[in-house]
């Protein structure tokens, strides 16, 4: 009896550690980062999309880098969709940068997740992981993850460099998944809205793990 009890405790502890190990939620932190303007192709239309052009008229722009096969991205996508719908009229812009998968896979992913905000792509193959600007940027801010999906950088248009390739040398990033309540508070503050109205409205879907395209999804619950 005691052996069965001991085994059950070990199983619970192992499961708890596994869940925690799969969690990639990270806080919003300010980092020094020399982030440059870019022009990428739209995933949906193939037309050029320039970042400086996109930020015109907005108070806050969230750039999120993602890989379509990433379970952590699939966790964050509904949160971003909700935030975009809720705060777009208040000056929030969200633009996603696809990576490490064919454009057709990105298109299918956006359709499946009902993403309405603009999406471009930097890379269409996994071999470019260590040569992408995404890799360079996130590593410069201390992100040690292998694939780094999703990864966020926040841009406040009023505080950006007015001319030149470099947009900013210091700003806020998320080296992992967004923490919804914290993210919404940050957005409301930057948009000049009362922080007290921020609410959590997305439930965890239980299909999350650290992103690795060579490993199957596990039925894990977020802490």
């Amino acid at each position: 009896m005691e052996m069965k009890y001991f085994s059950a405790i070990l199983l619970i502890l192992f499961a708890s550690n596994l869940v925690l190990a799969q969690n990639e939620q990270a806080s919003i932190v300010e980092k020094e980062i020399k982030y440059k303007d870019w022009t990428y192709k739209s995933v949906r239309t193939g037309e050029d999309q320039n970042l400086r052009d996109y930020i015109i008229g907005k108070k806050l722009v969230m750039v999120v880098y993602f890989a379509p096969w990433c379970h952590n991205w699939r966790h964050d996508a509904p949160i971003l969709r909700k935030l975009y719908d809720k705060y777009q009229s208040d000056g929030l812009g969200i633009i996603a940068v696809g990576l490490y998968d064919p454009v057709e896979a990105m298109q299918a992913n956006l359709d499946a997740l009902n993403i309405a905000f603009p999406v471009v792509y930097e890379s269409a193959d996994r071999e470019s992981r260590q040569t992408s600007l995404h890799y360079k940027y996130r590593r410069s801010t201390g992100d040690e993850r292998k694939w780094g999906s999703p990864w966020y950088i926040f841009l406040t248009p009023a505080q950006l460099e007015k001319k030149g390739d470099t947009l900013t040398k210091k700003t806020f990033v998320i080296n992992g998944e967004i923490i919804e309540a914290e993210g919404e508070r940050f957005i409301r503050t930057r948009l000049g809205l009362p922080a007290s109205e921020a609410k959590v409205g997305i439930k965890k879907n239980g299909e999350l793990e650290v992103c690795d395209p060579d490993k199957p999804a596990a039925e894990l619950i977020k802490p």
Side-chain angles (χ1 to χ4, degrees):
M1 187 69 179
E2 291 183 359
M3 181 60 69
K4 290 183 178 180
Y5 178 77
F6 182 69
S7 298
I9 294 295
L10 286 179
L11 182 60
I12 292 171
L13 291 174
F14 175 77
S16 299
N17 288 334
L18 181 60
V19 169
L20 290 174
Q22 304 305 309
N23 183 45
E24 287 189 0
Q25 291 179 321
S27 294
I28 300 171
V29 291
E30 191 173 24
K31 294 285 186 177
E32 292 185 0
I33 175 172
K34 192 175 182 180
Y35 191 74
K36 295 186 177 182
D37 185 27
W38 46 251
T39 298
Y40 292 140
K41 297 289 185 183
S42 167
V43 169
R44 296 186 177 96
T45 68
E47 297 179 354
D48 286 345
Q49 173 70 70
N50 176 257
L51 183 54
R52 274 198 186 274
D53 290 343
Y54 179 71
I55 67 177
I56 294 174
K58 298 176 177 62
K59 296 179 182 179
L60 178 68
V61 171
M62 179 192 302
V63 183
V64 53
Y65 290 77
F66 75 99
W69 41 258
C70 177
H71 311 296
N72 302 85
W73 157 247
R74 293 172 192 168
H75 163 260
D76 277 19
I79 298 174
L80 300 183
R81 186 177 65 232
K82 173 192 169 185
L83 293 173
Y84 184 71
D85 291 344
K86 187 173 182 179
Y87 296 112
Q88 181 184 12
S89 61
D90 293 306
L92 174 67
I94 300 178
I95 187 165
V97 182
L99 299 140
Y100 316 136
D101 224 12
V103 176
E104 293 77 12
M106 297 180 193
Q107 292 171 332
N109 180 258
L110 300 179
D111 291 341
L113 296 172
N114 296 315
I115 298 299
F117 46 79
V119 184
V120 299
Y121 65 96
E122 179 190 345
S123 162
D125 62 84
R126 296 177 188 177
E127 285 69 30
S128 62
R129 179 179 67 87
Q130 290 184 302
T131 59
S132 67
L133 284 174
H134 163 248
Y135 181 86
K136 175 183 176 182
Y137 284 137
R138 67 183 186 83
R139 284 303 177 106
S140 74
T141 63
D143 185 356
E144 297 296 330
R145 293 175 297 160
K146 180 178 179 180
W147 290 98
S149 170
W151 181 77
Y152 297 82
I153 182 164
F154 294 88
L155 303 174
T156 304
Q159 299 175 358
L160 299 182
E161 301 287 337
K162 304 303 180 184
K163 297 180 180 179
D165 291 336
T166 300
L167 294 174
T168 186
K169 296 179 181 177
K170 187 176 185 180
T171 191
F172 291 88
V173 303
I174 304 177
N175 289 333
E177 298 170 71
I178 190 170
I179 300 171
E180 185 181 0
E182 179 190 35
E184 187 164 9
R185 284 194 298 269
F186 180 86
I187 288 170
R188 293 187 68 88
T189 299
R190 293 284 159 164
L191 296 180
L193 300 173
S196 60
E197 294 182 22
K199 297 179 180 178
V200 177
I202 298 293
K203 294 179 69 176
K204 306 302 182 185
N205 62 18
E207 299 179 350
L208 311 170
E209 68 170 11
V210 173
C211 283
D212 189 331
D214 299 321
K215 294 181 180 179
E219 296 294 326
L220 299 175
I221 304 300
K222 285 287 182 185

